[in-house]
Amino acid sequence: QEEREMETCGYPEFEAHKQLHIAFISAVDGIASKFDMKRDNTSVLEELANVGLKWLDEHIRQVDTKLASFLKR
């Protein structure tokens, strides 16, 4: 829905923002592919947590805040 809203409103950084979403999904998929129910997955879970925290900090707190400012205009 966020991408649809950006496109509808003519957000000038839509394509770059969309690429960040694609990169995040790809990173999570890559980490998920390492998960193995038959072994200790502590390192995989730590990697996933780090990617998630980075996403929260860099994308949501910074990139999405910029988008929100644009949409409020």
Side-chain angles (χ1 to χ4, degrees):
Q1 182 176 351
E2 181 186 62
E3 290 178 7
R4 185 173 43 240
E5 185 73 22
M6 286 188 288
E7 193 170 28
T8 300
C9 292
Y11 186 53
E13 296 181 37
F14 168 66
E15 285 301 324
H17 196 121
K18 182 178 175 180
Q19 289 304 314
L20 292 172
H21 290 173
I22 291 168
F24 175 70
I25 291 166
S26 177
V28 170
D29 285 346
I31 295 167
S33 71
K34 298 176 190 177
F35 194 84
D36 182 350
M37 293 296 287
K38 297 176 185 168
R39 66 179 179 87
D40 180 12
N41 289 290
T42 301
S43 64
V44 176
L45 295 173
E46 287 174 350
E47 185 178 359
L48 182 60
N50 288 334
V51 167
L53 289 171
K54 183 177 179 185
W55 179 261
L56 288 171
D57 181 48
E58 293 179 5
H59 185 82
I60 295 176
R61 203 166 55 109
Q62 297 173 26
V63 178
D64 282 348
T65 298
K66 188 175 179 181
L67 169 61
S69 293
F70 175 84
L71 293 174
K72 287 180 183 177
R73 295 181 191 173

